[in-house]
Amino acid sequence: MLFGKEHVERYEATDGEEGYHWEKGTTILLLHTTGRKSGRDHTHPLIYRDWDDKYLVVASKGGAPEHPAWYLNLVEQPDVRVQIRGEKFAAKAHDADADERPAMWAHMVEVWPDYAEYQKKTDREIPIVVLERA
């Protein structure tokens, strides 16, 4: 099973032939963010699901008390780049709003039930990030 930097490298080198399909039937996209402090490009392999013409990812960090760095980066700079298999595109990121969040959360927990456990471990509301093509 691929993780971290190796996951990103294999995914990019094979246009997702390696790394798109992951644990428990999940699928992975690569999210490129700009570091809010460094200004450097950062790439993150994340479980995602389609939502109409959008894509959803979850900023869980395994239920840690703080948000993952990639999430803090896109809050500050919501213009991101996404790779799904061999397709690369610009996108705009935003948090799911209060009305859409419950259905989106259920949609993500359906594919990765651990998200529900992560939420129990933390006082913060775990964000669902909506990625829309730019």
Side-chain angles (χ1 to χ4, degrees):
M1 196 56 49
L2 294 171
F3 296 97
K5 185 178 179 188
E6 180 187 11
H7 196 156
V8 170
E9 289 171 354
R10 295 305 312 143
Y11 195 115
E12 289 178 331
T14 66
D15 280 341
E17 195 64 38
E18 294 179 44
Y20 174 77
H21 293 285
W22 200 59
E23 290 187 19
K24 303 176 187 173
T26 58
T27 52
I28 301 295
L29 61 69
L30 296 182
L31 177 68
H32 296 266
T33 61
T34 301
R36 66 196 179 286
K37 295 177 185 172
S38 69
R40 293 194 334 239
D41 180 63
H42 298 280
T43 307
H44 311 276
L46 300 171
I47 294 170
Y48 85 97
R49 289 192 86 183
D50 293 342
W51 185 265
D52 297 323
D53 60 344
K54 305 171 188 83
Y55 307 95
L56 306 179
V57 294
V58 178
S60 67
K61 199 176 181 184
E66 68 282 342
H67 294 304
W70 65 261
Y71 174 75
L72 298 174
N73 288 342
L74 66 76
V75 166
E76 194 155 311
Q77 176 48 265
D79 295 317
V80 297
R81 288 174 295 113
V82 175
Q83 180 175 346
I84 298 176
R85 294 190 173 186
E87 185 181 8
K88 300 171 185 175
F89 55 92
K92 187 74 113 177
H94 66 86
D95 285 1
D97 68 34
D99 291 335
E100 62 191 355
R101 190 181 189 289
M104 289 178 169
W105 178 256
H107 189 60
M108 294 305 292
V109 168
E110 179 181 56
V111 72
W112 193 257
D114 292 353
Y115 288 140
E117 294 306 310
Y118 300 162
Q119 185 60 77
K120 291 177 188 173
K121 289 171 37 178
T122 186
D123 292 332
R124 69 182 173 93
E125 181 176 77
I126 293 176
I128 297 177
V129 176
V130 180
L131 302 168
E132 296 189 65
R133 289 175 183 266

